[in-house]
Amino acid sequence: MSDPRTTRAWPHPDVVADLAALRAAAPLTHCITNVVVSNVTANVLLATGASPAMVHAPEEAGDLAAVAGGLLVNLGTVTAEQGEAARVAVRAAVGAGVPWVLDPVAVGPLPMRTALAHELLEHRPAVVRANASEVLALAGGTGGRGVDATSGPEAALDAARELVAATGAVVAISGPVDHLVTADGVLHVPGGDVLLTRVTGAGCALGALVAAFLAVAPDPLRAATAAHAVVAVAAERASSASRGPGSFAVGLLDELSRLDTHAH
Amino acid sequence: MSDPRTTRAWPHPDVVADLAALRAAAPLTHCITNVVVSNVTANVLLATGASPAMVHAPEEAGDLAAVAGGLLVNLGTVTAEQGEAARVAVRAAVGAGVPWVLDPVAVGPLPMRTALAHELLEHRPAVVRANASEVLALAGGTGGRGVDATSGPEAALDAARELVAATGAVVAISGPVDHLVTADGVLHVPGGDVLLTRVTGAGCALGALVAAFLAVAPDPLRAATAAHAVVAVAAERASSASRGPGSFAVGLLDELSRLDTHAH
Amino acid sequence: MSDPRTTRAWPHPDVVADLAALRAAAPLTHCITNVVVSNVTANVLLATGASPAMVHAPEEAGDLAAVAGGLLVNLGTVTAEQGEAARVAVRAAVGAGVPWVLDPVAVGPLPMRTALAHELLEHRPAVVRANASEVLALAGGTGGRGVDATSGPEAALDAARELVAATGAVVAISGPVDHLVTADGVLHVPGGDVLLTRVTGAGCALGALVAAFLAVAPDPLRAATAAHAVVAVAAERASSASRGPGSFAVGLLDELSRLDTHAH
């Protein structure tokens, strides 16, 4: 796991360089995301150095997506109308060459979002960010493989490879060690903290940060790697100074803003 | 008020036991709630030990409600579509034997939600959590009894008893001392802190926590008691270390996560 | 800029008096605002001393607006339905003599909200709160004057004067020094902190606070001045004790609640 050829963590030079590029560009990051996490998502983007924008009316989502640096579609509280906004935004993004991220929250047991996720996958996201059970559900078509939602990323590696083959996306599976799967293999991003699972939106905000890095990184794997490594190190630092999930969430934003790209 | 037969507070053995059970089970708690408080609601559930899920598309709300441990319906920012999701979710919950909580935010002066609350009450929530004026509005049918919204729970006790008789629900009235009303009498939960009224969503999150405890407590009164007592003690501890409502809200999450079920 | 005739800052006696009046009245402040900032908006209102209420169903928004002390319409994540709620609320507010604030987030490039903003402007908001590029877009009809979104308030002064002449509103332009424009001139509110631009919703919450002050201040310019001056001083104090945007956002709420109207 600590093989340097297959592991990336802060302060790997690529991660540091991509964060410096993010801060220099402050890319407009269009997030169509769920109502529970929209605030923390915007704050994570701002703290790291990106410029968040949330527009999810179908009448406007395409105009914004076409001029964004990256687009996130997160299905957490999707409705029929927001689903239509996602369709419009993804088509506009693809048409304009804007890379996009799919975060297929809770696909599998819930039918509307599962069908929508499959439909959106045909528009070739640059990155799919998900947990193990969501990856299994997407690859299997209907979920229901009997894998516990708390399974680690390892349980979903075969499914992730299927998804990579079918869509061309980088598939990022969150877990104690994040697994970033491409046709060339698996990159591991260690670190983070269990408190990331005790505050809402940490994973969703990570998906948005991948979208932001897509605007500046040389390729989708680099973008996904930078986002995961940056959150992992900020979480470690925030955890050591926190008394619980409340102070951890505050510290996470502080630490994201304090990451030093010059000292390395 | 401090009669031990009619007062419950942390660390009453029932409350400690129910919190231990909550943490062991981490019950899936489906919240159809308002956009203002969805984030703090999820964070309160996570900090205490439950697993929040917010799904409010009518196409999906029933699928989730049927497999949840408990369901919350909060009408704070209800729209026609979310109202339909609430109907679907409540029917599915009742059909599957999943207990549910109604938080009838601002019923009385606002017509759509007031009609919806009355309609939903026919599906027998396990608990109604509200403030005094909301209880008065629900019992009176139209509100408009001229009672000040800042009235304490005592002013709504007769109305609460009517509501208990009509619906079979435990009626939990929030106030400086929370009053939990059943056909057998009134249980008082003291404690808390005035800062709970200076941060948005404390009451709404409390309703969600009642729904979470319904999944593990022996009966609805125990569930309501545990939720109110746990928030009360965490609020007292958070208040003593806070400089104002911002640090109080952070400390509340920390203290909920730190409640020790082993020391008692 | 430090001319006392054209500059207002805490603890100017008018600002102190208006804050004392706000806390005494705790005005019901109806916010139709975007999902990203609804939580922080409610918390800023509560910390300062107002009573927030968010209702955005078209079926109910008018009932609440007619009895509120002030109304905010913020177009950040407007949808067709929320736009209809805004129309209903503004008509009800105007009919009942309730003053209202327009925060035209991102008008210019996005067509639906731009048309809606122009339509709503005909109902004479008491205050328009915006950044420089939004003021330029509103005054110019379509935006597209090629002004950078990061332009300071000075770049939008002529456009603001056009908007004042056309609508009668006070036009408040946020920036390093906030500019409050009326037919009689420009009032400057200095202070604040760059961290206000690194947390989401600081400007949106400021718009809500203007709506709250409209309920108690002698005129719209006084209301806008008080809101801007109060946020500016709280931000300065919060910044000096913060490690980054996370702790700054927490401290901002604490400091708003701690502003002392008696010491001056």
Side-chain angles (χ1 to χ4, degrees):
Chain A
M1 206 77 95
S2 58
D3 181 337
R5 293 166 300 181
T6 59
T7 299
R8 287 290 181 281
W10 182 269
H12 188 284
D14 287 355
V15 175
V16 173
D18 291 340
L19 177 57
L22 182 89
R23 289 183 177 162
L28 182 67
T29 307
H30 182 190
C31 303
I32 296 181
T33 190
N34 72 76
V35 295
V36 186
V37 307
S38 55
N39 185 268
V40 65
T41 296
N43 276 334
V44 162
L45 290 171
L46 284 166
T48 311
S51 294
M54 273 79 165
V55 167
H56 50 228
E59 297 87 347
E60 297 186 334
D63 291 294
L64 185 62
V67 299
L71 167 69
L72 166 74
V73 173
N74 172 304
L75 303 181
T77 56
V78 73
T79 59
E81 184 180 33
Q82 201 190 42
E84 184 55 24
R87 285 183 189 96
V88 169
V90 164
R91 281 195 296 260
V94 169
V98 174
W100 72 283
V101 175
L102 178 65
D103 191 335
V105 179
V107 291
L110 299 173
M112 184 174 73
R113 69 186 62 201
T114 304
L116 178 59
H118 284 290
E119 177 190 336
L120 292 175
L121 277 176
E122 295 174 15
H123 297 276
R124 305 185 79 79
V127 179
V128 175
R129 194 216 72 85
N131 63 33
S133 57
E134 291 156 355
V135 170
L136 286 159
L138 274 189
T142 60
R145 293 197 184 185
V147 175
D148 193 287
T150 58
S151 296
E154 294 82 357
L157 278 179
D158 285 343
R161 290 188 188 101
E162 290 174 34
L163 206 52
V164 168
T167 67
V170 175
V171 176
I173 320 173
S174 295
V177 172
D178 301 320
H179 286 53
L180 311 184
V181 184
T182 68
D184 298 326
V186 181
L187 203 63
H188 303 104
V189 181
D193 190 276
V194 70
L195 280 170
L196 286 169
T197 67
R198 300 295 294 277
V199 295
T200 196
C204 296
L206 176 56
L209 202 52
V210 174
F213 274 107
L214 282 171
V216 297
D219 60 62
L221 180 61
R222 277 274 292 264
T225 304
H228 285 73
V230 156
V231 169
V233 67
E236 287 173 6
R237 293 176 183 179
S239 175
S240 69
S242 73
R243 297 186 71 245
S247 46
F248 172 75
V250 172
L252 183 65
L253 295 177
D254 285 353
E255 296 297 342
L256 285 169
S257 77
R258 295 170 72 88
L259 288 174
D260 185 348
T261 58
H262 303 294
H264 307 285
Chain B
M1 207 78 97
S2 60
D3 181 338
R5 293 167 301 183
T6 59
T7 300
R8 287 291 181 282
W10 181 268
H12 188 284
D14 288 355
V15 175
V16 173
D18 292 340
L19 177 57
L22 182 89
R23 290 183 176 162
L28 182 67
T29 308
H30 181 189
C31 303
I32 297 180
T33 192
N34 71 76
V35 296
V36 186
V37 307
S38 56
N39 185 268
V40 65
T41 296
N43 277 333
V44 162
L45 290 172
L46 285 166
T48 311
S51 295
M54 273 79 166
V55 166
H56 50 228
E59 297 87 346
E60 297 187 333
D63 291 293
L64 184 63
V67 299
L71 167 69
L72 166 74
V73 174
N74 171 305
L75 303 181
T77 56
V78 72
T79 58
E81 183 180 33
Q82 201 190 41
E84 184 55 25
R87 285 184 189 94
V88 169
V90 164
R91 282 195 295 260
V94 169
V98 174
W100 72 283
V101 175
L102 178 65
D103 192 334
V105 180
V107 291
L110 298 174
M112 184 174 75
R113 68 186 62 200
T114 304
L116 178 59
H118 284 291
E119 178 190 335
L120 293 175
L121 277 176
E122 294 174 15
H123 296 277
R124 303 184 80 79
V127 180
V128 175
R129 194 216 71 85
N131 64 32
S133 57
E134 291 155 356
V135 170
L136 287 159
L138 274 189
T142 61
R145 293 195 184 186
V147 175
D148 192 288
T150 59
S151 296
E154 294 82 356
L157 279 178
D158 286 343
R161 290 188 188 100
E162 289 175 35
L163 206 53
V164 168
T167 67
V170 175
V171 176
I173 320 172
S174 295
V177 173
D178 301 319
H179 286 54
L180 311 184
V181 184
T182 69
D184 298 326
V186 181
L187 203 63
H188 302 105
V189 181
D193 190 276
V194 69
L195 279 171
L196 286 169
T197 66
R198 301 295 294 276
V199 296
T200 197
C204 296
L206 175 56
L209 202 53
V210 174
F213 273 109
L214 283 171
V216 297
D219 60 63
L221 180 60
R222 278 274 292 264
T225 304
H228 284 73
V230 155
V231 169
V233 67
E236 287 173 5
R237 294 177 183 179
S239 175
S240 68
S242 72
R243 296 187 72 245
S247 46
F248 172 75
V250 172
L252 183 64
L253 295 177
D254 285 353
E255 297 297 342
L256 285 169
S257 78
R258 296 170 73 88
L259 288 174
D260 185 348
T261 58
H262 304 293
H264 306 286
Chain C
M1 207 77 98
S2 60
D3 181 338
R5 293 167 299 181
T6 59
T7 299
R8 288 290 181 283
W10 181 268
H12 188 284
D14 288 355
V15 175
V16 173
D18 291 340
L19 177 58
L22 181 90
R23 289 182 177 164
L28 182 67
T29 308
H30 182 191
C31 303
I32 297 180
T33 192
N34 71 76
V35 296
V36 186
V37 306
S38 56
N39 185 269
V40 66
T41 296
N43 277 334
V44 162
L45 290 171
L46 285 166
T48 311
S51 294
M54 273 80 166
V55 166
H56 50 229
E59 297 87 345
E60 296 187 334
D63 292 293
L64 184 64
V67 299
L71 167 69
L72 166 73
V73 173
N74 172 304
L75 304 180
T77 56
V78 72
T79 60
E81 184 180 33
Q82 201 191 42
E84 184 55 24
R87 284 184 189 96
V88 169
V90 164
R91 282 195 294 260
V94 169
V98 174
W100 72 282
V101 175
L102 177 65
D103 191 334
V105 180
V107 292
L110 298 173
M112 184 174 75
R113 67 187 61 201
T114 304
L116 178 59
H118 284 291
E119 178 190 335
L120 293 175
L121 277 177
E122 294 175 14
H123 297 276
R124 305 184 79 80
V127 179
V128 175
R129 194 216 71 85
N131 63 32
S133 57
E134 292 156 355
V135 170
L136 287 159
L138 275 189
T142 60
R145 292 197 186 185
V147 175
D148 194 285
T150 59
S151 296
E154 294 81 356
L157 279 179
D158 286 343
R161 289 188 188 101
E162 290 174 35
L163 206 52
V164 168
T167 67
V170 175
V171 176
I173 320 172
S174 295
V177 173
D178 300 320
H179 286 53
L180 311 184
V181 184
T182 68
D184 297 326
V186 181
L187 203 62
H188 302 105
V189 181
D193 190 275
V194 70
L195 279 170
L196 286 169
T197 66
R198 299 295 295 275
V199 295
T200 196
C204 296
L206 176 57
L209 203 52
V210 174
F213 273 108
L214 283 171
V216 298
D219 60 62
L221 180 60
R222 278 273 291 264
T225 304
H228 284 73
V230 155
V231 169
V233 66
E236 287 173 6
R237 294 176 182 179
S239 176
S240 69
S242 73
R243 295 187 72 245
S247 46
F248 172 75
V250 171
L252 183 64
L253 295 177
D254 285 353
E255 297 298 341
L256 285 169
S257 78
R258 295 170 73 88
L259 288 174
D260 185 350
T261 58
H262 303 295
H264 305 286

